[in-house]
Amino acid sequence: MQSSTGDAVAAIRALTQRMQDINTHTSEVVGAIEQQELATGEISHNVASAATGARAVVAALGDVATGVTQTRSSAQTVLAASEEVENATVKLRGEVEDFLRTVAA
């Protein structure tokens, strides 16, 4: 009977040790899961920040495109005005030359 009791005590001690080992491993797993949750939260935050930055870049590029369009329009207006001045200059030169010929004759 003492042998059976000793065997039972040894079995209970072995079970207790096994349960403590399982508890230790479970705690380690819980710690790892918590770290993974923190890392996932940080990744999510970084992705959201990157998306915000990308939206800002897209908006800035839209502003640049608008500026380019306005600059092109202004350049076309200046070109047209320059061509008108050139035509007026050619016409005025012709009239001055005609006048000088008339005066010289």
Side-chain angles (χ1 to χ4, degrees), residues 37-48:
E37 286 176 352
L38 289 173
T40 301
E42 188 174 336
I43 290 168
S44 176
H45 173 73
N46 290 341
V47 167

Side-chain angles (χ1 to χ4, degrees), residues 15-88:
L15 285 172
T16 302
Q17 182 60 46
R18 187 71 175 144
M19 289 173 66
Q20 287 173 347
D21 291 346
I22 291 171
N23 187 38
T24 299
H25 292 301
T26 302
S27 295
E28 291 172 355
V29 168
V30 168
I33 290 171
E34 288 173 350
Q35 288 178 347
Q36 189 174 19
E37 286 176 352
L38 289 173
T40 301
E42 188 174 336
I43 290 168
S44 176
H45 173 73
N46 290 341
V47 167
S49 294
T52 299
R55 281 192 293 276
V57 168
V58 168
L61 289 175
D63 292 344
V64 169
T66 299
V68 167
T69 300
Q70 291 172 347
T71 300
R72 181 177 180 208
S73 176
S74 295
Q76 289 173 336
T77 301
V78 169
L79 177 62
S82 296
E83 289 171 348
E84 288 179 21
V85 167
E86 180 183 11
N87 292 338

